[in-house]
């Protein structure tokens, strides 16, 4: 076959049916495949030119089909054409497909083409016969450029109206096409260039700031390092869009990234560019994308806002930075922020474009003069654009039902979970009871809500830090775990403060509890701690189903795999700490983070440690989590209510009162 550069086999060879069944189908069957698409069953006509030659080939093909069905009676076979052998084997076939009913592909010149009317009429006759005479499903596979999604939809509709099953894709069949239904892509690709490993990804701008708005809109986010190989296949149909949010200026990867983005735009995949954009302007990509640069003066005059959309100035007004100014216009676009100087030059600094949209630095987020919150951390970023609405418009995201992790049947979800830190603390109440006792009696028994409660093995077990206290602490844990509303969980063996450093540093004691004679080991931390809880603390029949990450809550994929292999759900991490004094969506984290095929679920919001200045005070600070609950409910419901705390919250009157107040507010 000169067009495809392939060899057409002689189907009449007597050894061929057994060879094909044994060498081709058996390995696939053993791998779990049960359906087989047998392509271009009319290829023999390229060399079989006489009636006798064609009859020999057709008999050979029929023998192959019978051999497959004899060996694998459960197999479902789909023919591509093969109309000539249907009289012999139609009872062995699941469905029959044919290519190019309305829109086709010419492999010789590598171009798309409408199918000539005569060819279409002949093929319609064959497909009608498949349905009418043999009662088989008929599939029509047509080819349309990836960038012409509307034509693909129209073609699929025409095929469906004729009573055939449509599939409209590209000739490489490496994109998700349009069929009986069109799958709505649920993934967005996030391009970054600042994280070199799974631990650092959580600090990238795209994950920290750009993912939550996409989660809210109903999308999962996949992350791709611009310095690595970019996908060669079309993203159309698989991904709803691409967000490029680079953490730093590009190096040599910039030119490759720009060329790759041009290809994706050509296939109709929307692109949103946030922040760093120099890589587009260093070559010709910006011009080809309709971004027109004008000559610039040596130093722009004083800037002013010439035009702005209501979405700009969301949490902070634009910063008029003359160093970041250069004359720019987006051809065919809709500017959302236009800056101008006194010399007649203007810059469309934020714009929607035919291919998506962009927001240049410093008009994505701005860094305000340092604000220090109670925990002593800096929370100085503010959105200039409304990220949710900007991404909705730039990526052209349609209205559709979306997964919602905040609500069930119209009501906001409420969850409770506790990390076991401070189980051994003495509480500042008469008799100096353990904090865990106060928690049991004054919170868990008072508010019988479903709650996931964990312990740290190294804090309460006989082989831990406090062997003399272990009998009393284990009894309290058994009492708590016996409560019917309590789900039991592990908070590890040694409470790693840094999972990466605890597992890789020779001085691992600096990154976990310094338990005597213990060398850090994931087996001990995860399945070992679970086995301890189940064997010594859990009531009969009650199993540990949850593992709560500790410390920096940034475990590696090896730890996530170990938890998953043990049948455990796991959670913690993230950074949702928005309050009325720090009312920014930059302080609302995403649903979680993917790590090498696993997904780490973040806690919906953070615990009292954040609100009490790392437990230095004020100890009533956790009552401010109510502000977080309110601000993640309106105007956008971004999170469920999660009452998330440590055991030590029950050790002081102020912190216990704050926890009680949070429970009362949540139930109200």
């Amino acid at each position: 076959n000169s067009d495809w550069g392939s060899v057409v086999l002689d189907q009449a060879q007597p050894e061929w049916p057994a060879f094909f069944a044994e060498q081709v189908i058996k390995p696939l069957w053993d791998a779990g495949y049960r359906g087989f698409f047998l392509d271009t069953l009319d290829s023999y006509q390229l060399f079989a030119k006489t009636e006798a030659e064609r009859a020999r080939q057709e008999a050979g093909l029929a023998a192959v089909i019978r051999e497959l069905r004899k060996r694998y009676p459960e197999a479902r076979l789909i023919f591509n054409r093969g109309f000539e052998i249907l009289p012999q084997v139609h009872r062995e076939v699941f469905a029959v497909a044919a290519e190019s009913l309305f829109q086709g592909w010419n492999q010789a010149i590598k171009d798309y083409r409408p199918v000539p009317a005569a060819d279409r009429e002949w093929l319609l006759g064959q497909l009608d016969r498949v349905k009418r005479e043999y009662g088989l499903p008929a599939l029509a596979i047509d080819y349309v450029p990836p960038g012409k999604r509307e034509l693909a939809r129209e073609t699929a509709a025409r095929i469906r109206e004729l009573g055939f099953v449509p599939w409209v894709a590209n000739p490489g069949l490496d994109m998700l096409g349009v069929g009986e239904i069109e799958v709505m892509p649920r993934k967005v690709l996030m391009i970054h260039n600042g994280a070199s490993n799974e631990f650092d990804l959580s600090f990238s701008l795209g994950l920290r700031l750009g993912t939550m708005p996409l989660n809210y809109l109903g999308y999962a986010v996949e992350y791709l390092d611009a310095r690595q190989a970019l996908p060669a296949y079309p993203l159309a149909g698989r991904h709803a869009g691409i967000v490029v949010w680079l953490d730093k200026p590009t190096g040599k990867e910039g030119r490759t990234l720009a060329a790759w983005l041009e290809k994706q735009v050509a296939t109709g995949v929307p692109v949103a560019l946030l922040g760093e954009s120099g890589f587009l302007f260093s070559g010709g990509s910006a011009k080809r994308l309709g971004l027109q640069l004008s000559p610039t003066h040596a130093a722009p005059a004083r800037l002013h806002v010439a035009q702005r959309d209501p979405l700009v100035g969301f949490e902070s007004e634009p910063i008029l930075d003359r160093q970041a100014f250069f004359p720019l216009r987006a051809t065919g676009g809709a500017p959302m922020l236009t800056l101008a100087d006194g010399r007649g030059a203007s810059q469309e600094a934020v714009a929607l474009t035919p291919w998506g949209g962009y927001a240049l630095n410093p008009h994505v987020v701005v860094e305000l003069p340092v604000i220090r919150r109670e925990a002593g951390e800096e929370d100085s970023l503010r959105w200039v654009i409304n990220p949710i609405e900007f991404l909705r418009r730039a990526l052209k995201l349609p209205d559709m039902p979306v997964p919602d992790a905040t609500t069930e049947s119209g009501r906001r979800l409420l969850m409770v979970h506790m990390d076991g830190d401070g189980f051994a603390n003495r509480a500042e109440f008469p008799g100096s009871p353990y904090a865990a006792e106060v928690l049991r009696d004054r919170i868990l028994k008072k508010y019988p809500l479903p709650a996931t409660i964990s312990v740290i093995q190294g804090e309460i077990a006989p082989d831990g830090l406090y062997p003399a206290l272990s009998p009393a602490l284990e009894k309290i844990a058994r009492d708590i775990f016996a409560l019917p509303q309590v789900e039991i969980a592990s908070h590890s063996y040694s409470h790693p403060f840094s999972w990466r450093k605890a597992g890789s540093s020779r001085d691992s004691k600096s990154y976990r509890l310094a338990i005597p004679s213990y060398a850090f080991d994931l087996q001990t931390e995860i399945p070992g701690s679970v086995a301890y809880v189940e064997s010594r603390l859990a009531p009969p029949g009650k199993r540990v189903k949850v593992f709560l990450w500790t410390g920096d809550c940034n475990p590696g994929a090896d730890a996530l795999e170990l938890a998953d292999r043990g049948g455990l759900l796991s959670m913690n991490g993230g950074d949702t700490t928005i309050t009325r004094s720090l009312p920014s969506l930059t302080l609302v984290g995403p649903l979680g983070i993917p790590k090498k095929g696993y997904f780490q679920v973040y806690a919906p919001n953070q615990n009292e440690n954040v609100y009490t200045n790392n437990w230095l005070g004020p100890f009533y600070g956790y009552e401010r989590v109510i502000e977080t609950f309110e601000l993640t409910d309106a105007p956008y419901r971004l999170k469920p209510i999660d009452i998330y705390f440590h055991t030590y919250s029950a050790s002081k009157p102020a912190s216990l009162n704050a926890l009680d107040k949070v429970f009362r507010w949540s139930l109200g």
Side-chain angles (χ1 to χ4, degrees):
N1 187 327
S2 57
D3 288 346
W4 289 95
S6 60
V7 174
V8 180
L9 289 165
D10 177 5
Q11 303 290 325
Q13 299 174 83
E15 302 90 349
W16 173 239
F19 180 92
F20 184 74
E22 187 67 29
Q23 301 298 322
V24 178
I25 299 300
K26 185 178 185 301
L28 296 170
W29 186 270
D30 292 344
Y33 291 96
R34 295 296 179 265
F36 304 92
F37 185 95
L38 306 179
D39 202 14
T40 56
L41 295 185
D42 57 354
S43 291
Y44 65 89
Q45 295 181 16
L46 289 171
F47 65 86
K49 300 299 184 183
T50 68
E51 188 173 333
E53 287 174 336
R54 288 193 290 270
R56 288 181 65 248
Q57 295 300 314
E58 290 161 8
L61 270 172
V64 170
I65 303 305
R66 294 190 185 101
E67 183 68 20
L68 294 184
R69 294 291 289 169
K70 175 179 146 186
R71 296 195 186 204
Y72 307 105
E74 296 175 19
R76 289 182 168 185
L77 306 179
I78 299 181
F79 285 10
N80 183 4
R81 300 205 173 210
F83 303 120
E84 296 77 11
I85 63 170
L86 281 178
Q88 304 177 57
V89 294
H90 62 88
R91 290 187 177 84
E92 318 298 337
V93 186
F94 176 67
V96 178
E99 299 169 87
S100 306
L101 183 60
F102 292 102
Q103 302 289 333
W105 170 257
N106 188 325
Q107 175 63 16
I109 61 173
K110 293 182 171 50
D111 195 18
Y112 296 90
R113 63 177 180 85
V115 174
D119 293 353
R120 180 164 55 255
E121 289 305 314
W122 179 86
L123 189 55
L124 278 172
Q126 299 297 324
L127 293 175
D128 278 334
R129 181 168 160 244
V130 167
K131 287 185 62 182
R132 187 179 62 258
E133 288 189 29
Y134 304 119
L136 295 172
L139 286 63
I141 303 169
D142 274 25
Y143 299 118
V144 166
K148 295 187 176 181
R149 197 72 172 174
E150 195 54 45
L151 177 58
R153 295 183 182 113
E154 293 170 2
T155 304
R158 294 177 72 185
I159 293 170
R160 189 164 50 245
E161 287 169 4
L162 293 170
F164 308 135
V165 179
W167 187 249
V168 185
N170 63 334
L173 293 168
D174 55 0
M175 64 172 280
L176 195 60
V178 180
E180 284 277 11
I181 60 171
E182 181 179 355
V183 176
M184 304 302 286
R186 297 286 187 171
K187 295 179 181 178
V188 170
L189 193 62
M190 180 76 70
I191 309 293
H192 66 90
N193 67 344
S196 300
N197 56 59
E198 59 184 338
F199 298 101
D200 291 342
L201 180 61
S202 61
F203 304 108
S204 69
L205 290 168
L207 188 134
R208 283 174 50 218
L209 306 178
T211 297
M212 180 280 291
L214 293 167
N215 290 161
Y216 172 78
L217 292 167
Y219 293 87
V221 181
E222 294 182 350
Y223 303 88
L224 188 63
D225 191 333
R227 299 165 295 182
Q228 306 299 322
L230 301 171
Y233 52 82
L235 298 184
R238 303 184 194 216
H239 290 77
I242 302 166
V243 177
V244 182
W245 199 345
L246 302 178
D247 301 275
K248 57 187 178 181
T250 60
K252 60 183 180 181
E253 78 274 11
R255 191 174 294 275
T256 302
L257 174 60
W260 180 80
L261 287 174
E262 286 188 65
K263 290 182 180 178
Q264 301 308 319
V265 166
T267 65
V269 179
V271 174
L273 176 65
L274 300 177
E276 172 59 43
S277 57
F279 70 97
L280 276 184
F281 296 102
S282 60
S285 294
K287 184 177 181 181
R288 288 188 289 272
L289 291 174
L291 303 180
Q292 294 186 354
L293 288 168
S294 301
T296 182
H297 303 292
R302 184 174 180 177
L303 300 177
H304 66 276
V305 175
Q307 172 271 334
R308 65 187 290 173
D309 185 277
L311 296 187
V312 176
F314 179 59
E315 294 176 349
S316 173
E317 291 297 307
I319 301 295
L320 306 185
D321 184 353
R322 287 189 287 178
Q323 290 185 327
F325 180 86
F326 55 92
L328 175 67
R329 187 168 73 88
T331 305
M336 300 179 72
L337 175 64
T338 304
L339 306 181
D341 69 2
R343 299 191 179 110
S346 65
Q347 179 191 55
E348 294 179 358
V350 180
L352 300 175
T353 67
W355 45 265
Y358 65 85
L360 304 180
N361 280 332
H363 310 296
V364 184
V365 291
V366 297
E367 188 165 3
L368 304 179
V370 171
I371 299 171
R372 293 189 180 275
R373 60 175 159 141
E374 288 84 346
E377 300 176 14
E378 297 178 6
D379 291 310
S380 54
L381 294 179
R382 295 291 181 272
W383 284 103
V384 177
I385 56 174
N386 180 321
I388 293 172
E389 301 307 325
F390 176 80
L391 289 171
R392 190 200 304 269
R393 294 187 193 181
L395 298 180
K396 310 179 195 313
L397 301 177
D399 290 332
M400 63 178 180
V402 299
D404 190 339
T406 72
T407 304
E408 185 173 27
S409 300
R411 299 194 67 129
R412 195 177 187 189
L413 294 171
L414 166 63
M415 52 189 286
V416 180
H417 83 287
M418 187 197 83
D419 293 347
D421 310 42
F423 208 87
N425 288 18
R426 290 289 184 174
E428 298 173 3
F429 295 100
S432 297
Y434 291 107
E437 292 180 283
V438 178
L439 176 79
R440 176 195 63 197
D441 298 335
R442 297 182 61 173
I443 294 294
L444 297 179
K445 289 184 178 180
K446 181 178 179 181
Y447 299 106
L449 294 170
T452 298
I453 305 296
S454 67
V455 294
I456 303 167
Q457 180 181 349
E459 194 175 48
I460 71 171
D463 60 350
L465 290 174
Y466 314 111
L469 305 181
S470 178
L473 295 173
E474 287 192 330
K475 181 184 182 306
I476 299 168
R478 291 188 196 102
D479 290 345
I480 291 174
F481 288 167
L483 295 173
Q485 82 273 20
V486 167
E487 178 177 65
I488 57 179
S490 170
H491 200 43
S492 81
Y493 176 77
S494 72
H495 195 285
F497 313 135
S498 167
W499 285 82
R500 171 168 41 176
K501 292 179 179 178
S504 61
S505 172
R506 292 182 179 178
D507 183 26
S508 71
K509 288 184 180 179
S510 299
Y511 305 108
R512 57 176 175 82
L513 296 177
I515 299 171
S517 305
Y518 171 61
F520 182 81
D521 173 60
L522 283 179
Q523 290 286 340
T524 303
E525 296 292 340
I526 301 173
S529 67
V530 167
Y532 160 75
V533 172
E534 290 186 337
S535 63
R536 292 183 65 90
L537 307 178
K542 207 168 188 179
R543 306 299 301 270
V544 174
K545 299 178 182 178
V546 176
F547 187 90
L548 298 172
W549 302 110
T550 66
D552 65 355
C553 297
N554 194 5
D558 53 353
L560 289 165
E561 179 185 13
L562 201 55
D564 183 68
R565 207 161 60 217
L568 300 168
L569 302 173
S570 61
M571 186 173 69
N572 278 351
D575 190 16
T576 296
T577 55
I578 183 173
T579 58
R580 299 206 182 279
S581 57
L582 297 167
S584 174
L585 292 189
T586 63
L587 299 175
V588 181
L591 291 175
I593 179 172
K595 293 180 178 178
K596 297 181 179 177
Y598 294 91
F599 188 78
Q600 179 188 342
V601 177
Y602 283 163
N605 50 263
Q606 308 328 116
N607 53 54
E608 81 282 50
N609 197 55
V610 172
Y611 296 88
T612 59
N613 192 24
N614 289 327
W615 201 239
L616 295 175
F619 295 109
Y620 58 80
Y622 188 54
E623 66 181 35
R624 295 197 67 190
V625 78
I626 294 170
E627 299 174 27
T628 305
F629 296 157
E630 290 173 336
L631 292 170
T632 53
D633 188 38
Y636 300 102
R637 180 171 289 180
L638 301 171
K639 299 287 178 182
I641 297 171
D642 178 21
I643 305 175
Y644 173 25
F645 58 98
H646 295 93
T647 322
Y648 56 69
S649 253
S651 67
K652 294 180 179 293
S655 57
L656 182 66
N657 287 338
L659 188 59
D660 188 83
K661 181 177 181 179
V662 171
F663 270 89
R664 282 187 282 111
W665 180 91
S666 301
L667 287 172

